[in-house]
Amino acid sequence: MAEFMDLNVSTCEDQSRVLDLISTAAQLGFSTVALNYEFEPSANHRAVPSPTPTNQLIPQLPLVQGRSRPIRVLNRLTIVTSDPGHFRPNAPEYRCYDLLAVRPTTEKLFHAACMMYDVDIISVSVTEKLPFFFKRAPVNGATDRGVVFELSYAAAIRDATRRRYTISNAVSLMESCRGRNVILSSAAEKPLELRGPYDVANLGLLFGLSDGDAKEAVSSSCRSVLLHAETRKTASGVVHTVKSPDTGPAAKRRHLME
Amino acid sequence: MVRVKSRYLLCEVNVSDRTRLLLLDDRAVAETVKATVARIHGDYGAAMCSIRFSVKYLNTHTGIVFLRFPKRCYKLLWSALPFITCIETRGQKIPCFLNCLHVGGTIRTCQKFLIRYNTQQLHRMLPKCKNEEEKQQVRKAILNCILPGGNKQDEDILESDDEEE
């Protein structure tokens, strides 16, 4: 049995609802969830939201169904870009997030996101008809760089028109990326909008994924996203610097000994 | 002779308020599934769903449902199940979702899986017990979890499962 992950669960002010969401995900058998903070630079000129550390949010993480380990909770930032200036590479605000995603709204930005932006996930909008086509060149470029495309299914559960948009956008994406480097996530706001991992994998069939690809979309592709996120933080996954926690007191002690 | 093949989906009905599970009956579940399939896959889906679809078993205490689908189109019908958001029964709407746990070719393999699954649930319940008496009850229930030799249902195990809820 593979490990299942849901890399998009909406956060809100209400902490008890977030807790409910996390415990439902654990009950369903997801071993990793990512809490999504959405940031739209064009709509309101507020700063990038800062994530709540997970150990502050939940004192004790619930155990995953069928495993003896507690669920892993990550933080993720989604930037909705409509202007090239919205995504600032190497901004210090992005550093405190485990995962970084963009949702481009124009073709130019989609091209830039695929070829240049230092992100892990390109989120495909599912609430409107896409204003552009997915061209082969940028999609292949993203595949080569290890960036994945994300489809979320909660909007499809909510109403019929969005279900049509979700399926049509999904199928047009699958035509150009042939089912590889795609992840399926929930974007759920309520616990009742989450679905079990096997159901999600089967839902992939509606989106034009084959059996194997659909299963990969909830398990191994998500794992490669996490690994890609780690290489983004470190120098291409080889060198990693950490601030030593006890430099202050240790230095003092040495000073005293002398 | 070759038998007519079916697929049995072992699903769990997840609700926010567990006491409302008791209101469910198999006809309500069957109607909801049929309506949802018709909504998602149109007339073709409705036709496929009318051939050999049935609700084989429903446990209102644990919320476990067995659904039988014809083998040739079970994936199509299954892909409609995530779009169920509520079940209407006795004039009430119960907001819920179905979570598929296992897909089997016979009822017996599903039963085996269900017993293993319920044992797992009891193990998850054990640390949450409040007093010693409850703990003893759960331990006893875990020891009772064996597949009976004949065709006896695992009713008693399921019954003991929800005592601590």
Side-chain angles (χ1 to χ4, degrees), chain B:
Chain B
M1 277 295 281
V2 180
R3 66 170 150 180
V4 187
K5 283 187 180 147
S6 308
R7 281 281 178 267
Y8 295 90
L9 263 71
L10 174 63
C11 296
E12 187 187 30
V13 183
N14 289 37
V15 285
S16 41
D17 179 13
R18 283 193 76 94
T19 52
R20 301 191 74 183
L21 272 180
L22 295 171
L23 292 171
L24 288 178
D25 55 14
D26 18 350
R27 193 177 312 154
V29 176
E31 286 300 313
T32 312
V33 172
K34 272 186 187 164
T36 313
V37 169
R39 195 155 48 95
I40 303 295
H41 296 303
D43 293 340
Y44 178 75
M48 285 295 151
C49 199
S50 65
I51 308 171
R52 274 185 2 260
F53 164 69
S54 69
V55 176
K56 278 283 169 192
Y57 171 80
L58 170 74
N59 189 320
T60 49
H61 295 281
T62 49
I64 297 289
V65 187
F66 269 32
L67 301 175
R68 183 180 71 180
F69 289 134
K71 190 191 166 196
R72 54 180 297 233
C73 59
Y74 82 99
K75 281 198 168 152
L76 183 86
L77 298 179
W78 182 12
S79 66
L81 293 187
F83 297 108
I84 292 175
T85 49
C86 65
I87 294 179
E88 204 171 336
T89 168
R90 294 178 208 173
Q92 288 192 45
K93 271 190 176 174
I94 306 174
C96 64
F97 68 94
L98 290 184
N99 171 29
C100 181
L101 303 171
H102 182 77
V103 182
T106 56
I107 293 189
R108 194 171 158 78
T109 54
C110 288
Q111 189 192 7
K112 277 182 192 162
F113 178 86
L114 184 58
I115 290 174
R116 213 171 60 224
Y117 180 77
N118 280 329
T119 324
Q120 223 175 64
Q121 298 311 303
L122 287 168
H123 276 292
R124 277 170 75 89
M125 229 173 264
L126 200 54
K128 286 183 200 155
C129 290
K130 286 177 201 80
N131 52 38
E132 201 54 38
E133 196 187 341
E134 278 183 0
K135 267 189 188 174
Q136 281 303 327
Q137 269 181 349
V138 174
R139 281 202 193 104
K140 220 175 109 192
I142 291 174
L143 290 177
N144 280 336
C145 288
I146 37 159
L147 184 69
N151 285 328
K152 212 180 128 223
Q153 287 292 315
D154 48 339
E155 215 88 13
D156 48 343
I157 296 157
L158 296 173
E159 230 63 273
S160 59
D161 193 348
D162 53 54
E163 269 172 21
E164 323 302 322
E165 288 285 341

Side-chain angles (χ1 to χ4, degrees), chain A residues 28 63 65 195-196 199 202 211, chain B residues 75 78-79 82 84 100 121:
Chain A
L28 290 176
L63 291 181
Q65 177 77 258
R195 292 294 180 265
D199 287 319
N202 196 61
D211 274 353
Chain B
K75 281 198 168 152
W78 182 12
S79 66
I84 292 175
C100 181
Q121 298 311 303

